Amino acid sequence: MLRVRVRRLWLSLVPIAQCAIAAGLAWFVAFDVLHHSRPFFAPVAAVASLGLSLARRWRRSVELIVGVSIGILVGDLVITQIGSGAWQITVVVAAAMAVAVFVDGGPMLPTQAASSAVLVATLLPPGDVAGYERAVDALIGGLIGLLVGALVPVNPARRARRDAAGILDTFRDLSHQLAESLRERDEEAVYRVLAEARGTQSAIDGLRSDVLAGREVGTLSPMYWASRERLRRIAATADPIDNAVRNFRIVTRRALGLTQRGVAVEDPMIAIIDDIGDLFETLRQMMLAEPGESPDQADAARAVRSVVRRARTSLADDVEDLSEAALLVELRSLLVDLLMVAGLKRSSAIAQLHLNK
């Protein structure tokens, strides 16, 4: 548990540093350069526009700046006319959220507008600072947040590669466990494999989020413009990995059904499941390899093709249970996904199966 927490902290050090630098810099610009007397919204906007989440920072920053500006302006305008108090806060929040919803249908804008209006109506009443200064402070904070995110970036490829490698590592082990469970005809062990496979969706979601974040960093940060092609290749693996995970779950469910009915899966089919575990490992190594290192996509594709050649439909010619034939179909579908992880287009991957019927 301590190791997990330390690793989580380690992976968050760069985002934490970004937020800290952006907050201090936003205050400096607003207070020391522009001489705003209470630039509260500058560091708040800077931190909120960055946060610990790396995805959708550009959109989040724009929504935050617009939302805070609406809240400030509406709050200043309304509170100046009707004063402060409980019912006045109700009116201010309703007015700010209504304007924000009219401007944009996203969830963040109304929330930011309401929060800013409440601050104006309570902690920062109008009169001490001009309303436009608060809006300018929010703009400064949001822009500085984006600037710091671009100049002090997280490596856009590293997180996505790590996520993908972690998923492939998990399914390498699960494939080998499933093969062993089928050899032993161990129903409980097959069910455990299925349960663990079902619990990996959060990892898939994390991969997609980090792929999106990597593309944003690759777009905004000049330091990583040269990495855009590599980011594109990594991003192209997200859907095939997701599909491979889903197909593996289907394979495991069919295997569980066979085991529950006392059907012994044929040894050649179990060997293919075992080999797929080795393919997951090859693809994991491919993800972590630096450009020019092995295995590359071509190496991985060759490894997958070698298993495709053994997963011929003729393996199902002598099976007695139709579900075992369906299991082979799902295994072949899983191999298509793995070919796509290795860089093949879907049409080319399916063609490989047709060549090896």
Side-chain angles (χ1 to χ4, degrees):
M1 181 64 70
L2 178 61
R3 184 177 64 181
V4 171
R5 295 183 180 186
V6 170
R7 177 170 175 77
R8 185 170 63 232
L9 175 60
W10 173 257
L11 294 174
S12 299
L13 286 181
V14 172
I16 288 171
Q18 288 176 329
C19 290
I21 293 170
L25 187 58
W27 178 274
F28 171 78
V29 172
F31 185 78
D32 294 285
V33 177
L34 299 181
H35 305 294
H36 291 179
S37 58
R38 297 177 66 183
F40 171 81
F41 284 102
V44 169
V47 171
S49 66
L50 287 168
L52 292 180
S53 173
L54 299 178
R56 300 189 183 277
R57 280 182 167 179
W58 172 254
R59 177 171 176 81
R60 192 164 68 224
S61 296
V62 172
E63 288 182 342
L64 181 136
I65 292 168
V66 175
V68 169
S69 299
I70 289 172
I72 292 168
L73 296 175
V74 172
D76 272 319
L77 179 63
V78 174
I79 293 299
T80 300
Q81 300 300 318
I82 65 176
S84 298
W87 71 268
Q88 288 92 336
I89 290 176
T90 302
V91 172
V92 165
V93 169
M97 294 188 77
V99 173
V101 169
F102 178 80
V103 171
D104 184 82
M108 186 174 181
L109 215 65
T111 303
Q112 290 296 333
S115 301
S116 302
V118 168
L119 287 171
V120 169
T122 55
L123 299 179
L124 300 171
D128 61 337
V129 175
Y132 77 88
E133 282 194 9
R134 292 174 175 144
V136 170
D137 290 340
L139 177 62
I140 290 170
L143 293 177
I144 286 178
L146 285 177
L147 179 64
V148 170
L151 297 180
V152 190
V154 175
N155 187 309
R158 183 176 300 159
R159 278 178 173 255
R161 288 167 58 204
R162 184 201 69 221
D163 293 341
I167 294 167
L168 295 168
D169 181 75
T170 297
F171 282 88
R172 173 201 62 197
D173 295 341
L174 290 179
S175 296
H176 292 317
Q177 291 170 23
L178 178 59
E180 183 61 28
S181 301
L182 290 175
R183 291 190 184 100
E184 300 293 330
R185 303 187 192 180
D186 188 338
E187 177 184 335
E188 290 186 4
V190 176
Y191 182 80
R192 286 195 297 271
V193 171
L194 178 58
E196 189 169 345
R198 284 172 170 167
T200 57
Q201 191 56 46
S202 61
I204 294 291
D205 295 340
L207 169 62
R208 290 189 177 280
S209 177
D210 284 340
V211 164
L212 178 60
R215 283 179 144 175
E216 284 192 2
V217 172
T219 299
L220 295 174
S221 176
M223 293 175 61
Y224 289 107
W225 285 348
S227 302
R228 288 177 182 174
E229 177 58 27
R230 190 177 189 195
L231 284 168
R232 187 196 63 76
R233 289 198 301 269
I234 294 172
T237 67
D239 283 340
I241 289 175
D242 191 356
N243 292 335
V245 167
R246 295 175 191 274
N247 273 325
F248 183 88
R249 292 171 187 155
I250 295 172
V251 166
T252 310
R253 282 200 300 271
R254 292 200 179 279
L256 179 61
L258 288 165
T259 307
Q260 289 172 333
R261 294 198 304 277
V263 178
V265 178
E266 297 293 329
D267 287 339
M269 217 170 298
I270 295 176
I272 290 171
I273 294 173
D274 218 0
D275 290 339
I276 285 174
D278 295 335
L279 295 182
F280 277 119
E281 171 60 18
T282 300
L283 292 168
R284 185 192 72 84
Q285 294 176 9
M286 178 198 78
M287 279 293 174
L288 296 178
E290 297 296 333
E293 294 182 351
S294 295
D296 57 14
Q297 287 184 324
D299 297 327
R302 279 194 294 272
V304 181
R305 287 191 190 98
S306 69
V307 178
V308 169
R309 285 192 289 271
R310 295 197 296 276
R312 295 178 178 273
T313 55
S314 57
L315 287 178
D317 289 347
D318 299 324
V319 299
E320 298 180 359
D321 195 299
L322 289 178
S323 293
E324 193 170 0
L327 176 62
L328 178 60
V329 171
E330 297 299 340
L331 287 171
R332 285 168 62 86
S333 180
L334 174 55
L335 288 168
V336 169
D337 297 327
L338 298 185
L339 283 168
M340 292 177 67
V341 175
L344 272 69
K345 293 183 178 180
R346 183 168 183 80
S347 57
S348 299
I350 292 175
Q352 293 295 317
L353 258 67
H354 291 331
L355 290 172
N356 296 276
K357 291 185 176 182

